[in-house]
Amino acid sequence: MKRFLSSLASLALLCMASIPSRADQVDDYMRKHMALNHVAGAAVAIVRDGKIIKRQAYGFANLEWRQKATPDTAFQLASSTKPFTGLLLMRLQEAGRLSLDDSVGKYLPNAPQAWQPITLRHLADHSSGIPDNVNAGPNASLDDYVAAAAALPLSHAPGASSRYGIAGYTVLAKVIEVAAGMPYPQALKRYVTAPLKLRADFDYSSGDPNMRSVDVVPKRASIYDWNEGRQREFRFHFAPLSYDAGGLLASVDDLAALAVAIDRGKLLREDSLDAMWTPARLANGDMNSFAVGWAVREVNGRAAVGHSGGPALSDILRFTRERTTFIVLTNGQKLYPYLAQGISELFYPPPPVVMPKGIEDERPELSATLRQVLADAAAGKVDDSNFGEQARKDFVLAFKSFLLPFVSSLPAVEEFVLLSDSPKDGGIGRTYRARHGKRAQTWGFDIDRDGKLRAFGPK
């Protein structure tokens, strides 16, 4: 009997040892991809149903002083500030100070007639039609910027389509100032960060054209740009006019506390969360890929919201039905935003890949070339001869430093199915669904009239 129990215990220990800790898997994943992307420092938090189940920092916040990153290191969120703006809008709506369906004309008395159909939702989901080519001058005030934007024709009717940009959010900053009775940073602090005791804040740049003067931010992570085989310090300070679109500095402790508060109903009502995360239908019948400050998408069959910024100084991904939030902050300036999804797949593995039938391929030799481009990239190589002359100048250099590490992280292509083939800017636009081992990825290729690549990337 003793021998039997001893054998049973040994078997149990063996089984336990064969099941890797997901927390350890996250650590292994982060260290691997930080090395692949030359990221100096990072921090991760995972929140499930109001509880923090993972909180860890890696590497260095500052290389000159060899200061290690910690969970309370302040990282630049860049465009991941926009979800905070979404939260602020919903808080102001609950307080009766505004409604997402209000016209901007209610808050901007001098708004032109063309702006009257624009609602606050249109501003927050990038469908307002206000163009980005606003020339307000280097010393412009927020009022100056709004006036300069109002003088331009709309690029499309409000709600007709969605184009990610900055002008609509700068106008939104003025609307928030009027509705809240205070500038955007003060309103964010009063309604969002202060009630949750978050340290998140801006560096309050002076606003001068060279952005040479900013506040000291305790425990701020330096930002690094891997360039020509070495790290270079990268400095960019966001303009105060558009703080509602980017520039917030926050730690994973801040963002984890925010996710906990959302899960526990401490910040917004459930109906407000639903309104914030529900995209509007555009005039062409398509659903917008942006809701109120949050990007909306499907990840491996699961409804997800989130945002990235910098392009991946920050990467936030939340599965709304599962009430699970994945947060990754880094100080690597050139990084494709895939780490939050990669970590999520350790907890919620992708379903078995079912490849589509695709369409008839009238140029199989072109498909073979494009598949080889992906195969080369997966091996960490780029054959410049596959690209046109202009693409070698404009696209290839950026691809090698930015997107190549992401492609290198994927298994080799095992299936490659053509989904669409249509004229594009004098050349061809092609979309493929590829199976990389157990993962599927959609790729878009932009090809010139000579059959050379202008650009390509994941979709």
Side-chain angles (χ1 to χ4, degrees):
M1 185 66 177
K2 288 181 179 179
R3 186 176 300 171
F4 171 76
L5 291 174
S6 177
S7 299
L8 190 62
S10 298
L11 179 61
L13 288 172
L14 181 62
C15 292
M16 290 173 64
S18 69
I19 302 173
S21 164
R22 292 186 194 178
D24 290 344
Q25 284 182 300
V26 172
D27 295 339
D28 293 343
Y29 180 91
M30 283 299 299
R31 292 187 179 108
K32 172 185 175 181
H33 290 276
M34 286 174 67
L36 183 64
N37 290 278
H38 306 286
V39 172
V44 169
I46 303 171
V47 178
R48 178 188 286 164
D49 202 20
K51 296 179 181 178
I52 299 173
I53 63 173
K54 178 70 178 179
R55 170 182 172 272
Q56 185 64 49
Y58 312 87
F60 293 94
N62 182 277
L63 292 174
E64 293 166 313
W65 290 92
R66 308 300 287 177
Q67 180 64 49
K68 290 185 177 181
T70 63
D72 66 346
T73 295
F75 288 86
Q76 173 58 253
L77 298 190
S79 288
S80 290
T81 304
K82 293 180 180 71
F84 279 82
T85 299
L87 293 164
L88 173 58
L89 286 169
M90 303 315 299
R91 289 276 287 169
L92 291 171
Q93 180 165 278
E94 287 191 353
R97 290 188 168 271
L98 56 75
S99 168
L100 294 177
D101 297 323
D102 286 341
S103 165
V104 297
K106 180 176 179 179
Y107 306 92
L108 307 178
N110 296 324
Q113 185 61 38
W115 282 21
Q116 298 307 315
I118 298 175
T119 66
L120 275 55
R121 183 186 296 277
H122 289 141
L123 295 174
D125 70 7
H126 304 285
S127 68
S128 69
I130 298 175
D132 274 346
N133 58 328
V134 179
N135 185 11
N139 298 312
S141 66
L142 191 52
D143 288 329
D144 293 335
Y145 186 98
V146 172
L152 299 174
L154 295 179
S155 60
H156 59 78
S161 65
S162 178
R163 300 178 187 176
Y164 189 79
I166 188 67
Y169 262 76
T170 307
V171 173
L172 182 59
K174 181 60 183 180
V175 170
I176 290 172
E177 179 179 296
V178 173
M182 63 189 74
Y184 171 84
Q186 294 178 24
L188 184 68
K189 186 174 293 186
R190 176 171 178 178
Y191 287 94
V192 180
T193 60
L196 300 179
K197 296 181 172 57
L198 307 186
R199 192 164 55 89
D201 206 349
F202 300 91
D203 61 10
Y204 297 103
S205 67
S206 62
D208 69 272
N210 294 317
M211 298 289 182
R212 291 182 175 177
S213 176
V214 298
D215 283 359
V216 172
V217 178
K219 299 186 178 181
R220 179 213 300 255
S222 298
I223 298 174
Y224 297 99
D225 176 13
W226 180 260
N227 197 317
E228 297 180 348
R230 64 186 185 275
Q231 296 283 16
R232 293 176 178 269
E233 190 173 6
F234 179 87
R235 296 185 181 183
F236 177 81
H237 302 291
F238 286 78
L241 293 185
S242 56
Y243 274 161
D244 67 331
L248 194 65
L249 292 149
S251 65
V252 291
D253 279 350
D254 287 330
L255 296 179
L258 178 63
V260 168
I262 289 173
D263 286 347
R264 296 182 180 180
K266 300 294 185 181
L267 189 65
L268 289 172
R269 301 191 306 260
E270 196 70 30
D271 62 315
S272 293
L273 292 174
D274 288 342
M276 182 176 67
W277 290 330
T278 300
R281 191 172 295 279
L282 300 171
N284 63 5
D286 293 340
M287 295 302 295
N288 198 339
S289 59
F290 296 98
V292 182
W294 297 69
V296 181
R297 61 188 174 118
E298 189 175 275
V299 176
N300 297 320
R302 300 177 188 275
V305 297
H307 219 289
S308 62
L313 297 172
S314 59
D315 193 10
I316 303 168
L317 177 65
R318 177 182 174 85
F319 293 142
T320 51
R321 295 191 188 96
E322 291 76 9
R323 295 165 58 87
T324 306
T325 304
F326 300 89
I327 302 156
V328 182
L329 305 181
T330 81
N331 60 359
Q333 195 268 327
K334 290 177 180 174
L335 174 63
Y336 185 77
Y338 71 93
L339 296 182
Q341 179 173 335
I343 291 174
S344 77
E345 290 172 351
L346 300 176
F347 293 78
Y348 301 102
V353 175
V354 178
M355 294 296 287
K357 182 179 180 181
I359 64 173
E360 183 179 355
D361 191 351
E362 297 181 354
R363 297 184 63 181
E365 75 286 352
L366 177 58
S367 292
T369 298
L370 300 179
R371 181 169 180 164
Q372 186 59 48
V373 167
L374 283 179
D376 288 344
K381 300 182 296 182
V382 178
D383 184 349
D384 289 10
S385 67
N386 289 317
F387 296 83
E389 181 180 355
Q390 195 61 42
R392 289 197 291 271
K393 297 176 182 177
D394 298 339
F395 174 78
V396 173
L397 289 176
F399 173 77
K400 288 178 178 179
S401 61
F402 170 55
L403 192 56
L404 185 60
F406 166 68
V407 185
S408 301
S409 74
L410 299 173
V413 175
E414 297 182 24
E415 292 184 74
F416 198 55
V417 177
L418 178 62
L419 301 180
S420 68
D421 182 354
S422 58
K424 182 177 181 181
D425 300 329
I428 305 169
R430 280 195 157 200
T431 304
Y432 293 82
R433 187 69 166 168
R435 182 170 67 83
H436 300 262
K438 296 181 179 180
R439 175 173 177 170
Q441 177 66 56
T442 301
W443 296 95
F445 295 87
D446 185 358
I447 305 138
D448 66 22
R449 59 170 53 93
D450 298 320
K452 297 292 185 179
L453 273 167
R454 289 187 287 215
F456 80 96
K459 298 184 73 174

